[in-house]
Amino acid sequence: MKSAKLFFIGLHIHLILSILMIVMLFIDQWGGFAILFFGFYLLMIAVVVITGWITVVMAFLANRDQKYNELKKAWLLLKLGSIPFYIVNFFYSFFVWFVMVAASRGIFIILVPIPIILTCTFIYQSGCVSAFYINSLRYKLMVNAPASPYFRQNISSIHYLLQFIPILDVISTFVIWNQCKQYDRRS
């Protein structure tokens, strides 16, 4: 799915622009270029969030049309490929917001939920793609392996929920991925 690749690239562009935004504040100190760059940064955040929702819709359509391989590629890219993004984003955001709140003597504490909400939106969007993949996988196993309920039972409904919880989503992804490899070897 091209939209998943665009969303993945957008996540990393967002992280790079976030870092550059802080650099701009130190260099230009809210001068003309920094304000222009801040506007571009906000526009790119909107583009990434919209691209994420387009990816969710495309995953829904791929699930409906039973495009299992497309969903699998998008799922692996957004779950396993995004791990470095979320790690760097966490440490960067923690450091920057800690410094900003400390430097403002607590006044900027009101703004702390903004990056948290944005990151949760990204997690929710990739979780939706994963949920559609799991649904597609369960359907594929139900149709192709009716005599073997072992795989259907192992890919339980709890994995839908786990895709929306940080860290547990990665563990769930590895569990499902391992079960898919076992299924493919037996087929």
Side-chain angles (χ1 to χ4, degrees):
M1 287 179 9
K2 291 180 183 176
S3 60
K5 291 178 185 174
L6 289 174
F7 181 49
F8 178 76
I9 292 168
L11 289 173
H12 290 82
I13 290 174
H14 159 71
L15 183 61
I16 291 167
L17 290 177
S18 296
I19 295 168
L20 287 177
M21 189 64 224
I22 298 299
V23 172
M24 282 296 170
L25 288 176
F26 282 117
I27 292 173
D28 201 18
Q29 297 179 354
W30 289 110
F33 188 70
I35 292 174
L36 183 66
F37 188 80
F38 184 67
F40 176 70
Y41 172 68
L42 293 177
L43 176 69
M44 286 306 297
I45 288 174
V47 167
V48 172
V49 170
I50 290 169
T51 305
W53 288 118
I54 291 171
T55 302
V56 170
V57 170
M58 296 304 291
F60 169 76
L61 295 174
N63 180 40
R64 184 191 68 188
D65 298 338
Q66 298 173 3
K67 295 181 179 177
Y68 171 76
N69 290 329
E70 282 185 31
L71 270 172
K72 183 177 183 179
K73 289 177 186 176
W75 171 65
L76 288 174
L77 178 68
L78 291 178
K79 282 300 173 184
L80 301 182
S82 297
I83 291 172
F85 163 78
Y86 287 113
I87 291 171
V88 172
N89 186 44
F90 173 78
F91 286 114
Y92 162 77
S93 295
F94 181 79
F95 174 73
V96 167
W97 284 98
F98 180 78
V99 169
M100 287 179 65
V101 170
S104 70
R105 295 186 181 146
I107 295 172
F108 283 157
I109 195 80
I110 315 167
L111 301 175
V112 170
I114 295 171
I116 294 171
I117 291 170
L118 191 60
T119 302
C120 288
T121 303
F122 296 152
I123 291 170
Y124 181 77
Q125 290 169 334
S126 65
C128 287
V129 172
S130 300
F132 288 127
Y133 170 71
I134 292 168
N135 187 49
S136 175
L137 178 64
R138 288 178 63 128
Y139 178 78
K140 177 185 172 187
L141 291 175
M142 183 178 68
V143 170
N144 294 338
S148 177
Y150 170 75
F151 290 106
R152 281 197 318 265
Q153 291 169 354
N154 277 345
I155 300 176
S156 72
S157 300
I158 192 71
H159 289 290
Y160 290 113
L161 175 65
L162 293 178
Q163 294 303 312
F164 296 99
I165 303 171
I167 300 174
L168 295 178
D169 64 338
V170 176
I171 295 169
S172 172
T173 299
F174 279 118
V175 168
I176 294 170
W177 194 26
N178 188 27
Q179 290 173 353
C180 289
K181 285 181 182 180
Q182 290 176 1
Y183 174 75
D184 289 341
R185 276 189 237 132
R186 290 185 183 186
S187 304

